[in-house]
Amino acid sequence: ATTVAVATDPATGARLYDAAWFAPFSPASALDMVRRLPGFAIEQVDTSVRGFTQAAGNVVLNGQRPSAKSETIDVILSRIPASRVIRVEVSAGERFGAEYVGKAQVANVVLVPGGGMATTLEGSVRRNYAGRLYPEGSASVLAKRGKSTFNLALKVRNDNVDEEGPDRRVALPSGTVTETRQRVNRISDPTASLSGSWGWEDSATSSAHLNARASTERFRLDQSNRVVPAGGAARDDALSERATYEEYELGGDVTRPFAGGALKLVGLATRRTTDGRDVSLIDLAAPTGFAQNVLDHEAETLGRIAWSRSDWGGWSVEMGTEVAINRLASRVDLFALDTGGGRTRIDLPLDDAVVREFRTESFVSAGRALSPSLRIDAGLNGETSYLTVRGDAEASRRLSYLKPRVAIDWKAGPRWRVQASVKRTVAQLQFGDFISAAELSTDRVNGGNASLLPQRVWEFRASAERPILGDGLVRIETGYSRIEQVQDRVPTPEGYDAPGNLGDGSLWLLRTRLEAPLKGIGIKGGRLTLYGSLVPTSVRDPYTGHDRPFSYNSLFYGTAAFRQDLGGFAWGFNLEQATKAIGYRRDELDQQIPALYAQAFAEWRPDRRTMVTFTVENLLGTGGSRERLFFAPDRTSSDPVAREYRFRNRHLIPMLTFRRSMG
């Protein structure tokens, strides 16, 4: 274990991890370093979220948010060699602007100011249970000359998976087996992306960035299905899914001194296309079935202007506005197939539509230290949205919301840090929820809902953390959310169910995270990380009239990780477990039951720039289960009429990875 102490900035309270602190882990990239931070986890942000403000995560570079949006922060960090990092700071989010106020932890990766060039190469090969090998890799070059930094990266991912398992369907209440199936899924999902960026850094109030990215993805699923009906002849069914995804993004920002502070302009344009073709065939000897074609075109164009000043009469202030124009044009064609190869189109409600949105969000925030140990930050966002739906349905509405927030940061004594916040948030409407489409793999239809409203939430959060055992950390977070217009599943007049709004609901939250070095109990270089999350939810069910959890909410999720670094060698394992998650649909309870998942790894570092890692995914060979309970005519009937059980196993998946950084 490292003997380098973790420093604390007396002015900001930030925990400072110098590059030397990470040395025992031999990190190859900034991503490796951020992942090693005690008590910190990278926030996963949905890159499809509309607008720039709501897509902020919890990692910044040199105190600034990357201007890219379609690329996740872990991908950006993976392209920065560890040799370019001076230190990583972890502090409350108010240091980094209005987008981060209320975030208890934000990591700031501080980079080397000098020039030079650095390259990172990574390649890996994965073997599935059927013996097929799947290679993938990435390469990035980072060059710094004067005040400019150039980055070019190519990444090829090969997420190919084979899985197999049985299905069983029984009639209730008798329990008689009506059908069994043996399914094998072969999934191929290669993705390639090319990205480049340029940054010019003069000072905290004078900088410019430009980034571009293009990516393509080819999804392919082939399913073979041996079906044995009770009292009938066995048959072979098949399912084929094909999808092509294309995405392009161009963005940038400029920061200039203005009125004693900094004025920042951000521009971004993103274009996405989805082209899907699905076919489900029943009895290959004389096939019938269904086919579905999906074509989506998405476009987003946004601009943002913000002014900030850190010393305005003792206050740090930021204000600005953002304008975004979004559009989705979607067409879904569902067909019934007959034995002669003929197609009959099945009309779905709202399967051909164009959704448009003109969205604005203005904000102001201010914060100051009330004492050396107490700081307060407050802000107000005003959001407006004009939405239109044209096509199979005609709808339009104007929405406007005020979103206040207050956050307090208190250094309670020499070791404890306490944070509390209250804020109002408004969820975004997913444009895909307006469109109807079939799920051929589950024999059901998801209806579209042009009248969907965003849910509104009052969030109350409190957290406390303190260092333990040297550079370890324990952190506890609690919270409560009061939710209006809970977005869940609702019935449609056509007999389907669709995304919709229920009544008011509630969410309680308890999260704990503990990271501890184990040298004190004789395990040299050992570190243990434990994480647990308990999230009970409640909303009134429209069918039963009783309270129940939100659809697909897992009550508990927990992980345990152990890692031991011994010079040029390291090994460890990760365990992951969650409770079942239930989807509450019109005529079905869809229960997804995860199994205990384990991963083990061993790393060899022949020098400080080279790493060879052998990983075994799904070490215990466990599979996931799914149980579906069906009701007739819907869940107003309390007794199910059928049960379907599905089990899928990917078995052990070994993977070998080589990584090399230069410069």
Side-chain angles (χ1 to χ4, degrees), residues 425-436:
T425 63
V426 179
Q428 282 197 1
L429 296 177
Q430 299 299 314
F431 283 1
D433 289 342
F434 292 101
I435 312 300
S436 300

Side-chain angles (χ1 to χ4, degrees), residues 246 259 282 413 508 528 557 644:
E246 307 282 353
I282 302 171
W508 294 90
L528 176 68
Y557 172 78
E644 180 183 274

Side-chain angles (χ1 to χ4, degrees), residues 84-101:
R84 309 299 301 179
V85 179
I86 300 175
R87 66 181 180 276
V88 183
E89 308 170 353
V90 180
S91 64
E94 57 265 13
R95 286 182 59 203
F96 308 107
E99 299 159 289
Y100 298 93
V101 170

